[in-house]
Amino acid sequence: MKRRRAGYLVLGVLVAHLVVISVQVDTSPGTSVLHAVTFGLLSEAQRLVSSTVAAGRDLWDGYVSLRGAHEEKIELQEQIARLQLRLQAQDALVQQAHSLERLLELDRTVELMTLSARVIGIDATPWFRTITVDRGLRDGVETELAVIAPGGVVGRVVGTPGMRAARVQLIIDRNAAAGALVERTRVPGVVVGAGDGMSLRMEYVSNLEDVQVGDTIVTSGADGIYPHGLTVGTVTSVRRGPSLYKTIDIEPAMEFDRLEHVLIVTHDERLAAAGDVR
Amino acid sequence: MSPAQAALAAAAAVTVQTTLAWSVSGTVVNLDLPLVVVVLAALSGGPLAGLWTGTATGLAQDVLSGGIVGVSGLCKCVTGVAVGLAGERLLVTTTWQRSLMAAAATLLHAGCFFGTYALIPTATPIGGWTEVAAQTVANAVAASIVIGAVGPVRRWQRSGQRQRPGPAAEGWRSRYAP
């Protein structure tokens, strides 16, 4: 009797899983309320462990491994002095550029509004490439916002964010894609995760176009998610494809292994001006 | 293993997998620690322990991953039940036998996982059989390490139970066994 009950239980759980999966496949991905609540709870555990680890690391860096700090301080002071001189020169150049822009009546460079976030966890399985960051609905984070870092494109916010956390799909994920172009020749295409979880591939670039190894790939802004002109990576190999399109392998500009802080693009003036509603 | 212990172990495994492993190594570790916990729970508590641990662990993984919610839950629950049934019929007591079971469970889980995603057009996981083979070895090693770490704790726990016997000390098996 108990065994039969157990059998029914197993069957019930399996059917429940299949129902949950099919609901997401038929409609938009993610189960709104259940998903958001569970993600919110689990991300708090991630935040706690991540903060503890970070505190331990800070303690070590701040107090234990202070040997050589004095020499490093002197070296950094010299570096700051050099950088201040360079900054003054750059400021002069910026002023000059602004004057020329006014003179030529060109559009001024648009600045992105970003929100800094700390990475508190990675994907729970090795089969996808997502990270969890410590900013959520409370900070104004929405789904489909672009996530960048000083090195280049990181990814985009996916799923319903929690109150204090959000999940970011990295650009190297197999299911990720971004509108891109070759910086040198302005040839457009689509950058996707190559499938190995480490590199990228550029698709839909005609066999007739000029693309070379070493070319820099930047975002085109055509997808309405990633702002225009952010570095995606460098071309490592170009082969003539069997059909109409080239096979282009790209090494990402970002080092995703040691990603600790990212910037969430909360507002891009160009997209807003173009009437793109996210 | 009691339900509370299984839930705690599952939560710890998911947390370690998503935070500590990455913080320490600085890279994605091709290891499924939650699956190892499901296997060990199923071996010690039977199919129902495998079912519940697998479901809870898998769903937690789904929520914290880029995949479809329910797929890991489904696969881990199937794997947990299968390992639990195998554990009832086969002699799986030594560390190497349990590690072997973890390796077999990894292959079963991977077959179920990739098979399910092959039917879903909206998401495609990374990797192939090379990564699965690497994870099989990694999970078997992790299982032997976890058993080695848990052994002293369980011995200490048993000595405590001998002094204080009672129904609360009984695990999944006594509650659900036919």
Side-chain angles (χ1 to χ4, degrees), chain A residues 2-3 5-6 9-10 13-15 17-18 20-21 24-25 29-31 34-35 38-40 42-43 45-47 49-50 53 57 119-132 158 167 169 172-175 195-198 256-260, chain B residues 14-15 17-20 22-31 48 51-52 55 59-74 77-78 81 85 88-89 113-114 116-117 120-128 131-132 135 175-178:
Chain A
K2 267 186 180 175
R3 187 162 279 282
R5 212 185 90 198
L9 194 61
V10 171
V13 172
L14 290 181
V15 170
H17 274 112
L18 290 173
V20 169
I21 293 167
Q24 291 165 86
V25 173
T31 45
L34 175 72
H35 195 176
T38 322
F39 175 69
L42 291 171
S43 60
Q46 284 187 319
R47 178 197 298 274
V49 175
S50 177
V53 171
R57 197 184 289 156
V119 180
I120 57 170
I122 57 161
D123 201 288
T125 72
W127 312 121
F128 295 95
R129 291 288 181 269
T130 63
I131 53 172
T132 308
V158 289
R167 223 152 31 81
Q169 181 189 56
I172 49 173
D173 187 273
R174 198 173 199 159
N175 306 295
D196 57 1
M198 289 179 288
F256 292 98
D257 282 354
R258 285 283 176 195
L259 206 56
E260 288 184 4
Chain B
V14 173
T15 309
Q17 174 94 15
T18 57
T19 52
L20 275 181
W22 171 73
S23 296
V24 172
S25 70
T27 186
V28 177
V29 183
N30 189 6
L31 172 77
L48 278 167
L51 173 81
W52 291 123
T55 300
L59 286 176
Q61 270 188 303
D62 280 328
V63 169
L64 293 173
S65 93
I68 303 278
V69 176
V71 176
S72 278
L74 175 76
C77 130
V78 168
V81 171
L85 289 171
E88 281 183 346
R89 285 157 179 76
F113 188 83
F114 284 101
T116 309
Y117 270 110
I120 302 171
T122 49
T124 315
I126 287 165
E131 285 79 10
V132 172
Q135 195 187 77
R175 205 166 298 171
Y176 293 106

Side-chain angles (χ1 to χ4, degrees), chain A residues 56-195:
Chain A
R57 197 184 289 156
D58 288 349
L59 191 74
W60 177 268
D61 291 344
Y63 297 99
V64 184
S65 64
L66 275 178
R67 282 183 299 176
H70 183 65
E71 289 81 3
E72 202 178 1
K73 183 188 160 198
I74 293 168
E75 196 182 319
L76 285 170
Q77 279 173 336
E78 286 172 5
Q79 209 174 342
I80 286 169
R82 281 198 301 272
L83 287 171
Q84 277 174 334
L85 283 173
R86 269 178 66 183
L87 188 64
Q88 284 172 24
Q90 295 289 337
D91 279 345
L93 282 174
V94 167
Q95 291 302 326
Q96 195 180 356
H98 282 171
S99 311
L100 289 170
E101 274 172 3
R102 276 195 296 273
L103 200 66
L104 296 168
E105 294 180 344
L106 288 175
D107 285 341
R108 292 192 59 188
T109 310
V110 180
E111 286 186 10
L112 300 172
M113 281 176 69
T114 57
L115 178 72
S116 71
R118 192 166 62 86
V119 180
I120 57 170
I122 57 161
D123 201 288
T125 72
W127 312 121
F128 295 95
R129 291 288 181 269
T130 63
I131 53 172
T132 308
V133 295
D134 68 344
R135 299 284 194 170
L137 290 170
R138 209 175 60 171
D139 308 292
V141 175
E142 297 166 22
T143 189
E144 299 291 357
L145 288 184
V147 180
I148 61 173
V153 173
V154 173
R156 67 184 174 120
V157 176
V158 289
T160 314
M163 286 309 286
R164 304 204 304 162
R167 223 152 31 81
V168 176
Q169 181 189 56
L170 301 181
I171 188 83
I172 49 173
D173 187 273
R174 198 173 199 159
N175 306 295
L181 46 86
V182 181
E183 195 177 39
R184 182 176 57 86
T185 53
R186 316 308 286 178
V187 172
V190 176
V191 166
V192 295

Side-chain angles (χ1 to χ4, degrees), chain A residues 23 92 108 183 186 199 247 278:
Chain A
V23 162
R108 292 192 59 188
E183 195 177 39
R186 316 308 286 178
S199 57
T247 307
R278 285 195 290 251

